[in-house]
Amino acid sequence: AYAIDEANRTVREAWRFDYDHSILSVVCSSAYEADDQSILIDYATASGLTKARLVALDRARQVVFDFEFASDACNTSWNAHPIPFEHLVVE
């Protein structure tokens, strides 16, 4: 994340989540920060373009969710956006 100082037109890195460099996703990934400051990170092309991985951080930047699933490059995952559990339908 970056802190932007619009008055001085500068930017500095405020914090970084690198998960101990355990995941590499070269394209199609994203992150979404919710109003409660939790973050959903989408690694769309992890494990050599064979898996996608979703990682959620709480407002303290602790991992609270880590889910990996088979993927064919960017076809199954590319834009992180959380869905409230009450709206989730599993068939």
Side-chain angles (χ1 to χ4, degrees), residues 1 15-20 23 41 43 55 57 61-63:
W15 68 273
R16 175 188 302 214
F17 178 75
D18 61 23
Y19 219 178
D20 297 325
I23 305 171
I41 304 167
Y43 297 97
V55 178
L57 309 176
R61 306 298 187 246
Q62 300 299 310
V63 175

Side-chain angles (χ1 to χ4, degrees), residues 15-87:
W15 68 273
R16 175 188 302 214
F17 178 75
D18 61 23
Y19 219 178
D20 297 325
H21 300 284
S22 63
I23 305 171
L24 174 63
S25 183
V26 295
V27 294
C28 300
S29 299
S30 65
Y32 176 89
E33 184 173 8
D35 291 338
D36 66 357
Q37 296 179 335
S38 62
I39 298 173
L40 177 62
I41 304 167
D42 172 17
Y43 297 97
T45 60
S47 299
L49 306 176
T50 63
K51 295 181 182 178
R53 193 157 168 188
L54 301 174
V55 178
L57 309 176
D58 63 13
R59 66 184 316 153
R61 306 298 187 246
Q62 300 299 310
V63 175
V64 294
F65 180 84
D66 188 337
F67 180 68
E68 184 177 77
F69 57 95
S71 176
D72 182 16
C74 300
N75 295 335
T76 59
S77 174
W78 61 273
N79 192 7
H81 190 77
I83 299 172
F85 280 114
E86 61 268 16
H87 297 143

Side-chain angles (χ1 to χ4, degrees), residues 3-22:
I4 300 171
D5 181 341
E6 292 183 25
N8 292 315
R9 300 177 63 128
T10 61
V11 175
R12 68 172 176 78
E13 185 176 70
W15 68 273
R16 175 188 302 214
F17 178 75
D18 61 23
Y19 219 178
D20 297 325
H21 300 284
S22 63

